[in-house]
Amino acid sequence: MSTHQSKSSFSEKSTPMAFRDTVKRAEQLVETSMKGNDASHDAPHVWRVRDLALSLAREEGLSSNPDSMEIVELAALLHDVGDYKYLRDPSEEKLVENFLEEEGIAESKKIKILSIIKGMGFKDELAGVGNQEFPPEFGVVQDADRLDAIGAIGIARCFTFGGNRNRVLHDPAIQSRLDLSKEHYMKKEEQTTVNHFHEKLLKLKDLMKTKAGLRRAEKRHKVMEEFLKQFYAEWDGKA
């Protein structure tokens, strides 16, 4: 188990030992279920999202409510377990639900955690799910996941995923799909890695749900804009 996992996200005194044990088992589930994934959607991605989500939650004033912080941490940890992009077996879709059941998580918390995970994807925002009213825990977890998709790490993850799917870096003849539906987004048609910036990543800043998330997204967004400016200049032999 990584040393990062053993770091307590908030003090043991304010958090029941039983919950910390649940967190450790959730971390183990992440490591085993995501072991075969490429580095764009691996365990370190989850650890970063968990840290970001808890940090955003504190900035948004959720730390006064232990239940909210527990919901945020578990939703962040489990958000990519059974991800449709990496499913190896249909049974993996039930991994999170089964885990929460086995851990004896209170029904009200379980419903919130599953609701956050189900609704936080970009494809769901395209389908209109993201336009509904959302609890504060949803906002910080979704923003944390999206922050890890942009900026310097977002650039690295984007090219890692594209390489794993054997996508070309860039092809001026292939236009980005700017007006995407959920169905088009999930369709495995020929696309370039650079087009993903225009189809998704550059849109995420304006989709942030929290003020704390938006503050961080603005800086990361500029990093991507500068990267693409330099990328196109080098591609055309101008830099």
Side-chain angles (χ1 to χ4, degrees), residues 45 49-50 52-54 56-57 71-72 75-76 79 115-126 128-132 134-150 157 200 204-210 213-214 217:
H45 159 65
V49 171
R50 186 257 300 274
L52 278 167
L54 291 173
L56 294 177
I71 290 168
V72 166
H79 80 277
S115 176
I116 289 170
I117 294 171
K118 184 178 179 181
M120 66 187 286
F122 184 67
K123 66 183 187 305
D124 299 301
E125 193 112 14
L126 290 172
V129 175
N131 296 327
Q132 300 172 2
F134 55 88
E137 296 91 351
F138 174 86
V140 297
V141 177
Q142 186 186 62
D143 281 5
D145 188 41
R146 290 179 169 181
L147 283 170
D148 204 58
I150 61 178
R157 290 182 65 214
K200 176 182 177 181
L204 295 182
K205 172 177 70 71
D206 293 331
L207 294 175
M208 290 289 151
K209 302 292 190 300
T210 67
L214 179 58

Side-chain angles (χ1 to χ4, degrees), residues 17 35-36 53 72 76 80 102 109 113 151 184 199 202 215 217:
M17 287 295 292
K35 189 175 182 180
V72 166
D80 266 346
E102 290 167 5
K109 285 185 183 178
I113 291 167
H184 283 133
E199 294 179 351
L202 291 170
R215 283 194 297 269

Side-chain angles (χ1 to χ4, degrees), residues 53-225:
L54 291 173
S55 179
L56 294 177
R58 287 189 285 268
E59 290 181 43
E60 291 290 312
L62 298 185
S63 57
S64 60
N65 186 335
D67 284 347
S68 287
M69 296 300 279
E70 290 181 6
I71 290 168
V72 166
E73 184 159 18
L74 282 180
L77 280 173
L78 301 170
H79 80 277
D80 266 346
V81 172
D83 184 350
Y84 78 96
K85 295 187 295 296
Y86 295 90
L87 280 183
R88 300 165 184 86
D89 186 282
S91 65
E92 293 180 1
E93 293 180 340
K94 290 286 187 180
L95 279 174
V96 173
E97 192 171 346
N98 292 342
F99 173 81
L100 296 174
E101 195 74 37
E102 290 167 5
E103 290 295 321
I105 302 299
E107 189 68 17
S108 59
K109 285 185 183 178
K110 186 175 75 172
I111 291 171
K112 285 185 178 180
I113 291 167
L114 292 173
S115 176
I116 289 170
I117 294 171
K118 184 178 179 181
M120 66 187 286
F122 184 67
K123 66 183 187 305
D124 299 301
E125 193 112 14
L126 290 172
V129 175
N131 296 327
Q132 300 172 2
E133 289 190 12
F134 55 88
E137 296 91 351
F138 174 86
V140 297
V141 177
Q142 186 186 62
D143 281 5
D145 188 41
R146 290 179 169 181
L147 283 170
D148 204 58
I150 61 178
I153 283 182
I155 293 169
R157 290 182 65 214
C158 184
F159 283 97
T160 297
F161 184 81
N164 179 260
R165 300 303 165 100
N166 293 317
R167 291 179 179 169
V168 297
L169 293 179
H170 175 52
D171 184 345
I174 301 177
Q175 297 296 310
S176 57
R177 305 163 299 175
L178 297 180
D179 189 20
L180 277 175
S181 65
K182 177 179 178 179
E183 290 70 29
H184 283 133
Y185 179 73
M186 295 177 70
K187 190 177 180 182
K188 293 180 173 65
E189 60 186 41
E190 184 179 4
Q191 263 307 325
T192 73
T193 295
V194 167
N195 278 357
H196 190 62
F197 285 88
H198 301 286
E199 294 179 351
K200 176 182 177 181
L201 305 187
L202 291 170
K203 298 178 179 180
L204 295 182
K205 172 177 70 71
D206 293 331
L207 294 175
M208 290 289 151
K209 302 292 190 300
T210 67
K211 291 180 180 178
L214 179 58
R215 283 194 297 269
R216 300 190 191 204
E218 286 172 343
K219 182 176 181 180
R220 296 188 184 213
H221 185 85
K222 290 177 183 177
V223 169
M224 293 192 299
E225 287 182 323

